[in-house]
Amino acid sequence: MNMQRVAPSYPRLDDLAQRARASGAIKVGVVYPCEASAMAATFQAADLGFIDPVLIGPSAVICRLAEEAGLALGEREIVEAADPLAAARRGVALAGAGEVAALMKGSLHTDELLGAVVGRDSPLRMGRRTSHVFWFDCPAYHKPLMLTDAVVNIAPGLMEKADIVRNAIDLAHRLGNPMPKIAILAAVETVNPALPSTIDAAALCKMADRGQITGAVLDGPLGFDNAVSLTSATTKGIVSLVAGEPDILVVPNLDAGNSLYKSLVYLGEAACAGLVLGARVPIILTSRSDSVQARIASCALATLAAAGDRTG
């Protein structure tokens, strides 16, 4: 039998986009947009009303790329910067001066942009570890789901994980969730000294009990199955306010997070957006393998995150 594949719908992604448009476009410093897909996604996000891009890089290259791609620059602002490092420094300076409300990675390397953001003299430093948060619209899950950190922190220790959790809580608050439920993931749901991730999970929950982490309900260690499935948790005798209802999943390290992120996208058909948080402005950190949809959705997410800053 010839079965036709039905494309998934993303009602929660549509809602995110509508809310971003309603909040109004923000100025975004697009750092070194010297590659066709980065330029196209930037212009589409601008046309949709999410961002007002400020293009930071060599103007001759930017104008040539725009012409080759059939994109009309019009009155779009270009800030001259000769190379990726100069563009990153210029973008950070503009954000520090309040001239742009977010930064977006163009075709430079991630470490070139983040190195400028967290550098010793950067005006964007907040004294908190930077981390990445993915926001997903998963067809198989009943509400938006966030995942952190699958991009920036390779093997975070306990205090780095505390900042990763705080950054995700801040984003949830800006998106309108005053008390997100957070599952701290590990391979097993019991504390085991042989698995440091379970010790860290338990410690993070105790930090929340003691008021060191606020604004959320934490539980862990939880396995992925009993975090997202109440049936699985009940079968294992787990009593939890988070099981089956997490808004945020916190992974133990980048290996686990990156694999889970790609599983949700490539097998779970989830639509996603992502931001780097922990600096004074949100940073849209897209990958060359990201779809145009993911790039545009990340711009919408940054718009709402920055709007949350404006409204306190």
Side-chain angles (χ1 to χ4, degrees):
M1 182 192 294
N2 216 5
M3 297 198 59
Q4 209 166 21
R5 181 176 172 276
V6 178
S9 63
Y10 299 109
R12 292 175 285 269
L13 180 61
D14 292 341
D15 177 64
L16 183 85
Q18 290 170 11
R19 289 172 58 197
R21 268 192 290 269
S23 73
I26 60 167
K27 272 203 165 187
V28 173
V30 187
V31 181
Y32 208 72
C34 298
E35 190 265 330
S37 62
M39 184 86 77
T42 298
F43 277 53
Q44 283 183 268
D47 291 342
L48 288 167
F50 300 148
I51 66 171
D52 176 13
V54 176
L55 308 174
I56 307 167
S59 56
V61 175
I62 291 171
C63 291
R64 176 176 57 78
L65 277 172
E67 184 178 0
E68 290 173 356
L71 300 170
L73 280 171
E75 300 299 314
R76 303 206 190 282
E77 183 179 352
I78 300 177
V79 175
E80 187 67 37
D83 54 54
L85 288 175
R89 288 193 292 266
R90 191 75 184 102
V92 167
L94 290 171
E99 295 183 40
V100 296
L103 294 175
M104 181 176 181
K105 175 178 173 280
S107 53
L108 75 172
H109 293 295
T110 296
D111 58 352
E112 291 174 322
L113 177 56
L114 292 187
V117 169
V118 302
R120 185 186 301 273
D121 299 322
S122 170
L124 302 184
R125 287 168 63 104
M126 291 176 57
R128 184 185 284 188
R129 185 83 171 188
T130 55
S131 60
H132 188 276
V133 178
F134 275 117
W135 178 98
F136 293 101
D137 184 347
C138 302
Y141 194 63
H142 59 282
K143 60 180 175 178
L145 183 66
M146 291 196 283
L147 173 69
T148 188
D149 179 354
V151 175
V152 174
N153 291 282
I154 297 173
L158 175 61
M159 300 315 291
E160 288 79 21
K161 288 179 181 178
D163 276 350
I164 289 169
V165 170
R166 293 182 184 111
N167 289 340
I169 292 170
D170 286 350
L171 179 59
H173 289 176
R174 293 177 195 179
L175 296 178
N177 185 344
M179 190 59 66
K181 295 180 178 180
I182 302 180
I184 314 296
L185 299 184
V188 296
E189 60 278 353
T190 53
V191 176
N192 184 340
L195 286 172
S197 59
T198 67
I199 303 293
D200 285 351
L204 289 167
C205 293
K206 184 52 66 176
M207 290 173 74
D209 290 344
R210 295 288 188 266
Q212 293 174 266
I213 297 173
T214 60
V217 178
L218 276 64
D219 196 8
L222 289 171
F224 178 74
D225 55 345
N226 44 66
V228 300
S229 168
L230 183 58
T231 300
S232 175
T234 302
T235 300
K236 292 188 174 183
I238 298 170
V239 178
S240 169
L241 293 174
V242 173
E245 286 292 333
D247 301 291
I248 301 168
L249 302 177
V250 178
V251 295
N253 54 45
L254 187 136
D255 280 336
N258 196 264
S259 296
L260 181 52
Y261 145 64
K262 289 174 179 172
S263 298
L264 290 172
V265 171
Y266 289 97
L267 293 180
E269 298 187 304
C272 75
L275 293 177
V276 171
L277 304 170
R280 295 195 181 279
V281 299
I283 300 160
I284 305 163
L285 195 67
T286 54
S287 164
R288 285 174 295 177
S289 64
D290 284 345
S291 66
V292 172
Q293 179 196 57
R295 292 171 186 260
I296 294 171
S298 296
C299 292
L301 189 64
T303 298
L304 288 173
D309 277 344
R310 292 198 298 267
T311 59

